[in-house]
Amino acid sequence: MVGLSLGEQTFIKGGIDQDLRTDGRKRLTYRPIFVETGIIPQASGSARVKLGATDVIASVKAELGRPNPSYPDKGKVSIHVDCSPTAEPSFEGRGGEELSTELCSALERCLLGGKSGAGAGIDLSSLCIVRGKVCWDLYIDGLVVSSDGNVLDALGAAVKAALSNTAIPKVQVSANAPSDEQPEVDVSDEEFLQFDTSGVPVIVTLTKVGRHYIADATTEEESQMSSAVSVSINRQGRICGLTKRGGAGLHPTVILDMISAAKHVSEQLMNKLDSEIAAAEACDEMES
Amino acid sequence: MEFVNPEGLRLDGRRPMEMRQLRAEIGVVSKADGSAVFEMGNTKVIAAVYGPREVQNRSQQSNDEALVRCEYSMANFSTGDRMRKPKGDRRSTEISMVIRQTMEACILTHLMPRSQIDIFVQVLQADGGTRSACINAATLALADAGIPMTDIVTSCSAGFLNGTPLLDLNYVEDSAGGPDVTVGILPKLDKVTLLQMDSKLQMETFETVMQLATEGCKAVASYIREVLLENTKQLESRRGV
């Protein structure tokens, strides 16, 4: 990105102070969200989310695996994010690794709970097939194709859409297998179970510029930020994860204020996202 | 395994000389100077071009011509089995080099000295012929970026299975172990810029297969020209011409 001149910086900050951003939005308004599901046919579920010029793809693959011995009745979920150099020339080679790791850990914090799976957005016990022996391993892969700010929110939305598009095949376990060996599992090709995503949260990032906070910042607005707080909130209004980025310190009351603003924004975002996902799925069904 | 059944149909219902369905879109990554998506059947590739811009590594700067760099990476979910390492493995490095050499041949680099042109190709879905799809997508992206070229480069692959030359192999046909000839041409100048082959072929059969691949390249070239023409008409109408 070309550096911003002093005049441009003042314009951005001034606009945010007056609740009229450079592209005409109010402080807490999101850019138009565009969701497309089922774009990767060989994955169990996939989605592409466009938030203005930010474009991300998420795919979910379900594979059979062994559960962790300490948690025998829970499946496993692993999240990985890759920043494609098409988004930013500096992501070439290993340049995108730092951002990928940051996004990956932020997503993990928001979607997965503690080690035992408690408080996770995704219900891990629904992934268990045979206690202690066979479970579903979900591999969630995110790819940032184009980045124009607020990549984390777009990824969160894409993961939610991909999970609602995920169809886990029905399995039949052979009943007469000896107890210490791996039981034989017959994976059905025709019957699928839709994954339950009512508990999956959305991520809302609030960026503090000057004295005000904005939602869904573009790259230029992000360059002027002092700090940013990403809150992941589920449908029940509960906070599932929290990340603070940026060097500037925030007073605790400011953080609490940002969290309540994020809760308010998340309701609209959640409704918008759900309707977009439903429309995308309907489109998908009509085509197939 | 039978790749061409007695009626002359392949595994996906195509005839031996039939290409997969092509689909291209220009200008998908708004931040890039030029970008394009190219689909050949189920193979889907996105290419983005950044440049001409200032050289990042001063030691590589050339005073007479532009530096062309290319990186090929595959998404984790692009293949049937999830890939562990999206880039940096030997195959990706080799394909990056191949694409760079092919595109460098057609870009008029002497017009942009002391600058750098970056071509980034990302494979979203891999179903055989990724090399060709990448070159076709890169051509479109370079055209979208307005980078001067002597001619467009198009690429297509062909193989030989069950005694029949087959055009545009998909993944199943490619992994059958038969020969796979990838050809890249400059269609107007009628010159070959890329030629690669796996496995072995008899000399006469090789000529037939290469001829078939070249025909495929020409078909891709006419499709790409259509897409570029359509894009220019849209730009014209937006400008109010």
Side-chain angles (χ1 to χ4, degrees):
Chain A
M1 194 191 68
V2 184
L4 291 177
S5 69
L6 198 53
E8 284 174 307
Q9 290 173 19
T10 325
F11 191 72
I12 292 175
K13 287 186 193 155
I16 291 173
D17 274 336
Q18 298 190 12
D19 202 14
L20 182 66
R21 290 151 76 173
T22 349
D23 49 7
R25 285 185 286 154
K26 297 207 156 277
R27 271 183 230 133
L28 298 178
T29 317
Y30 264 75
R31 284 172 285 187
I33 306 178
F34 176 71
V35 177
E36 220 180 303
T37 52
I39 50 166
I40 312 274
Q42 63 246 41
S44 313
S46 57
R48 180 180 192 156
V49 168
K50 284 194 216 183
L51 202 58
T54 302
D55 194 353
V56 300
I57 297 179
S59 100
V60 177
K61 261 210 164 101
E63 279 171 24
L64 290 173
R66 282 198 87 126
N68 196 334
S70 354
Y71 309 109
D73 57 347
K74 293 206 185 326
K76 302 201 293 269
V77 175
S78 87
I79 303 183
H80 176 84
V81 175
D82 190 27
C83 292
S84 168
T86 55
E88 200 68 51
S90 54
F91 290 163
E92 182 186 6
R94 304 194 60 170
E97 254 180 54
E98 205 185 299
L99 181 61
S100 308
T101 341
E102 196 191 312
L103 290 169
C104 189
S105 35
L107 276 179
E108 273 175 4
R109 213 172 296 136
C110 295
L111 293 170
L112 306 176
K115 276 249 166 80
S116 65
I122 303 171
D123 183 17
L124 293 178
S125 19
S126 64
L127 296 174
C128 179
I129 303 173
V130 176
R131 189 197 157 91
K133 301 232 178 68
V134 189
C135 70
W136 282 114
D137 278 342
L138 279 190
Y139 292 102
I140 304 181
D141 291 308
L143 177 70
V144 179
V145 173
S146 167
S147 109
D148 189 24
N150 210 18
V151 178
L152 184 57
D153 290 15
L155 274 170
V159 169
K160 188 172 163 74
L163 283 171
S164 43
N165 181 243
T166 304
I168 304 209
K170 276 208 175 123
V171 284
Q172 281 183 337
V173 190
S174 54
N176 40 351
S179 55
D180 16 299
E181 281 178 19
Q182 281 290 99
E184 276 191 31
V185 185
D186 179 34
V187 181
S188 161
D189 273 336
E190 272 115 59
E191 293 176 1
F192 294 95
L193 291 167
Q194 285 299 121
F195 198 74
D196 176 28
T197 53
S198 51
V200 179
V202 285
I203 307 179
V204 172
T205 304
L206 286 181
T207 316
K208 190 162 193 291
V209 179
R211 279 188 0 229
H212 302 273
Y213 357 106
I214 50 173
D216 194 15
T218 59
T219 332
E220 290 148 353
E221 290 168 340
E222 271 180 1
S223 68
Q224 301 308 307
M225 77 170 188
S226 52
S227 49
V229 172
S230 299
V231 187
S232 119
I233 303 180
N234 69 6
R235 191 158 267 288
Q236 283 79 37
R238 304 287 191 88
I239 298 178
C240 305
L242 196 67
T243 315
K244 181 204 168 286
R245 292 193 325 266
L250 289 176
H251 197 268
T253 47
V254 173
I255 294 193
L256 291 174
D257 195 29
M258 280 173 100
I259 292 178
S260 63
K263 266 184 76 170
H264 175 69
V265 173
S266 76
E267 282 165 20
Q268 297 159 10
L269 179 62
M270 179 82 84
N271 292 334
K272 183 91 207 308
L273 196 57
D274 281 337
S275 63
E276 284 291 321
I277 293 176
E281 300 257 312
C283 228
D284 211 22
E285 271 180 41
M286 267 190 343
E287 267 169 41
S288 59
Chain B
M1 195 183 156
E2 203 182 63
F3 293 100
V4 185
N5 71 14
E7 278 130 55
L9 291 177
R10 288 149 81 171
L11 292 170
D12 50 6
R14 285 185 286 155
R15 298 236 152 248
M17 310 252 180
E18 204 183 311
M19 254 180 94
R20 289 178 288 184
Q21 195 176 44
L22 301 174
R23 201 187 81 87
E25 206 183 309
I26 302 185
V28 281
V29 179
S30 36
K31 271 192 88 180
D33 292 319
S35 59
V37 168
F38 199 85
E39 282 179 57
M40 284 172 99
N42 283 333
T43 300
K44 189 168 177 183
V45 157
I46 211 175
V49 166
Y50 286 89
R53 57 193 193 123
E54 200 178 325
V55 181
Q56 308 291 304
N57 192 351
R58 266 301 166 76
S59 58
Q60 291 175 338
Q61 185 174 302
S62 163
N63 278 332
D64 334 303
E65 49 181 30
L67 179 70
V68 178
R69 281 159 81 241
C70 176
E71 187 176 282
Y72 166 94
S73 47
M74 295 183 82
N76 263 338
F77 43 78
S78 56
T79 53
D81 304 314
R82 202 173 151 267
M83 277 191 74
R84 303 297 147 186
K85 212 174 164 208
K87 41 186 154 174
D89 60 313
R90 299 248 294 266
R91 184 175 167 271
S92 302
T93 323
E94 193 239 331
I95 298 185
S96 305
M97 192 195 70
V98 163
I99 299 177
R100 184 178 62 77
Q101 285 178 348
T102 318
M103 304 324 292
E104 209 169 15
C106 72
I107 298 178
L108 295 168
T109 47
H110 63 271
L111 290 180
M112 299 160 286
R114 290 181 291 276
S115 70
Q116 167 178 315
I117 299 173
D118 286 320
I119 306 172
F120 298 119
V121 192
Q122 176 82 40
V123 177
L124 298 176
Q125 264 174 255
D127 187 26
T130 47
R131 210 167 295 224
S132 306
C134 287
I135 291 175
N136 296 328
T139 298
L140 274 171
L142 284 168
D144 187 35
I147 291 181
M149 301 192 276
T150 53
D151 194 0
I152 56 173
V153 188
T154 56
S155 167
C156 191
S157 66
F160 191 77
L161 288 170
N162 288 150
T164 333
L166 301 174
L167 180 60
D168 197 12
L169 306 171
N170 60 22
Y171 181 70
V172 183
E173 291 166 343
D174 202 1
S175 34
D180 173 21
V181 178
T182 308
V183 176
I185 63 167
L186 300 170
K188 265 233 168 78
L189 301 175
D190 214 1
K191 290 203 172 154
V192 175
T193 53
L194 170 69
L195 181 58
Q196 284 187 321
M197 187 179 104
D198 296 329
S199 187
K200 52 185 195 237
L201 264 189
Q202 289 210 327
M203 288 293 286
E204 302 85 27
T205 335
F206 172 72
E207 280 188 45
T208 327
V209 173
M210 187 176 142
Q211 187 56 33
L212 184 60
T214 315
E215 292 297 317
C217 292
K218 296 210 171 106
V220 176
S222 61
Y223 176 71
I224 285 186
R225 264 197 211 102
E226 257 177 50
V227 172
L228 286 172
L229 198 58
E230 185 60 48
N231 186 50
T232 314
K233 284 195 183 140
Q234 269 188 14
L235 290 173
E236 259 186 337
S237 71
R238 272 187 223 151
R239 271 193 68 186
V241 170

